[in-house]
Amino acid sequence: MAMKRARATFDSILAEGRRPTGVFVMSSDASTTAVYGSSGYDWVLIDREHGVMDNSHMISHLLAAQATGLVPIVRVLENNPTLIQQSLDAGAQGILVPKIGSADEARRAVAATRYQAGGRGMCPVVPATNFSGSNWGGYSTEMNDNVILMPLIETKRGVDNIEEIVSVEGVDYIFFGLADLSQDLGIDMEADLDQLVELWEHVAATAHKHGVRAGAPLGYGFDALADFGSLDSDMSTLRAAAERSIAAYRSSEPALVEYQPAQTLLGR
């Protein structure tokens, strides 16, 4: 199966009047990605920043995404061209870069995703190319046209500089990170959610003014302005399901009957 191209796929879904909906995966087990792909999700965020996975785990997740028709996006640990290139060579179709706070940082991240002078290094024998350099011109052009570089807006600095960030050529998508932003602002993510919604509305409106699509976690009050979004993460979903299962069982658990061993012939 050919790998889905991020931008073309997102554009197609949006043209249908749907919001591309994804999920964060943090487990080292690629079965989680396969489950989401077979359940109808559109994209998956393979989390290398907070997830406990190495390169081999990431590659397994990428293969699972390819097999189940998901657009795979990798969140790298930091705005590092080597980490970005490594993820794309392995087969990522998009990159989420944490804590982008300025236009210069955004430009550096964009350059690392593009086959161009001073940008992404060229190597035809990697998983993303099916280990073949045939039709390199066509492949590199298609990748440059379809890769999504997504700054993560999760600091006060990022919010304050959102206008300059979304003005950078090559930044066509952004994602709003409410957890780190709440920490950076010194507020509570749940109790002060109204403040985060207000900041999100500013970020999303600024992005839309520049023709940039804005994404956010869904279900927190961001949905109305979100062009795309994520639903939870694999481990939090598993945790919630596990808690529901044990609570439901214990609420109706039958009383324990003490075990009474049968008498043996010798014991009579």
Side-chain angles (χ1 to χ4, degrees):
M1 178 185 294
M3 182 70 78
K4 281 198 170 183
R5 301 303 187 200
R7 189 181 305 278
T9 303
F10 273 44
D11 286 349
S12 175
I13 293 169
L14 288 161
E16 295 171 1
R18 290 198 301 114
R19 179 184 289 117
T21 304
V23 65
F24 281 48
V25 295
M26 305 175 72
S27 168
S28 58
D29 187 346
S31 296
T32 55
T33 289
V35 167
Y36 287 115
S38 61
S39 299
Y41 284 70
D42 300 308
W43 59 277
V44 63
L45 191 287
I46 300 164
D47 195 345
R48 295 295 305 277
E49 183 184 17
H50 294 296
V52 288
M53 60 180 80
D54 58 21
N55 284 336
S56 61
H57 297 137
M58 175 183 69
I59 291 170
S60 295
H61 279 286
L62 291 168
L63 290 172
Q66 180 178 3
T68 56
L70 287 168
V71 171
I73 297 172
V74 170
R75 173 158 68 171
V76 293
L77 182 61
E78 60 182 344
N79 189 6
N80 181 312
T82 300
L83 297 177
I84 292 172
Q85 175 178 293
Q86 186 179 65
S87 300
L88 293 172
D89 282 352
Q93 293 292 308
I95 300 292
L96 182 66
V97 183
K99 295 181 172 60
I100 293 293
S102 70
D104 285 343
E105 292 171 3
R107 274 191 289 269
R108 187 164 68 250
V110 169
T113 67
R114 301 303 200 270
Y115 287 116
Q116 63 183 35
R120 177 182 176 185
M122 173 188 172
C123 182
V125 286
V126 293
T129 66
N130 290 322
F131 306 99
S132 171
S134 62
N135 190 29
W136 178 262
Y139 167 79
S140 59
T141 298
E142 183 184 13
M143 279 302 302
N144 283 352
D145 289 344
N146 276 281
V147 66
I148 290 177
L149 184 283
M150 197 182 299
L152 184 52
I153 307 302
E154 56 179 348
T155 62
K156 181 180 184 299
R157 183 165 167 258
V159 172
D160 290 344
N161 294 329
I162 188 62
E163 186 97 39
E164 68 174 60
I165 292 170
V166 296
S167 298
V168 171
E169 184 177 355
V171 172
D172 303 310
Y173 286 80
I174 60 162
F175 201 84
F176 187 75
L178 75 163
D180 273 327
L181 180 57
S182 65
Q183 178 175 272
D184 200 48
L185 295 171
I187 63 177
D188 186 271
M189 190 178 81
E190 296 180 355
D192 300 313
L193 185 58
D194 57 334
Q195 295 182 47
L196 293 169
V197 170
E198 185 176 345
L199 292 172
W200 154 252
E201 290 173 347
H202 165 65
V203 166
T206 304
H208 291 156
K209 182 176 70 173
H210 289 269
V212 173
R213 288 169 173 155
L218 302 173
Y220 291 89
F222 308 139
D223 298 36
L225 292 178
D227 300 297
F228 65 104
S230 64
L231 292 173
D232 219 334
S233 72
D234 56 348
M235 301 311 295
S236 55
T237 298
L238 176 61
R239 167 88 187 210
E243 289 177 343
R244 285 196 304 271
S245 293
I246 192 64
Y249 175 74
R250 285 180 173 161
S251 67
S252 59
E253 182 178 3
L256 182 65
V257 176
E258 184 179 353
Y259 173 64
Q260 298 290 340
Q263 287 185 321
T264 66
L265 291 174
L266 292 177
R268 289 182 179 178

